[in-house]
Amino acid sequence: MPIEGNVIIVPVAGITHVVENSLNYAKSLATNQIIAVYVSYESEDEKKFEEKWKKWHLMLDW
């Protein structure tokens, strides 16, 4: 996906209410794209986070 227009990048350390609030705030701004960034140091952690993110993302009203 090419980056166009106003972009907000939200650093994500886990799936928490703080992250949810940050993403909701970013969504409320006039932006074209929101990019959540998670940095994993272990591939196992990355896989776990990705699974949690997919489940969590489906529960959000996006």
Side-chain angles (χ1 to χ4, degrees), residues 1 3 7-15 18-20 22-24 26-27 31 33-40 49-50 53-54 56-57 60 62:
M1 165 182 347
I3 297 175
V7 178
I8 295 176
I9 299 173
V10 179
V12 175
I15 297 175
V18 173
V19 170
E20 182 177 0
S22 298
L23 291 171
N24 285 332
K27 186 179 172 187
T31 184
Q33 288 182 323
I34 300 170
I35 300 172
V37 177
Y38 174 77
V39 177
S40 173
F49 181 83
E50 196 169 318
W53 181 264
K54 287 178 184 176
W56 183 66
H57 191 264
L60 296 178
W62 284 52

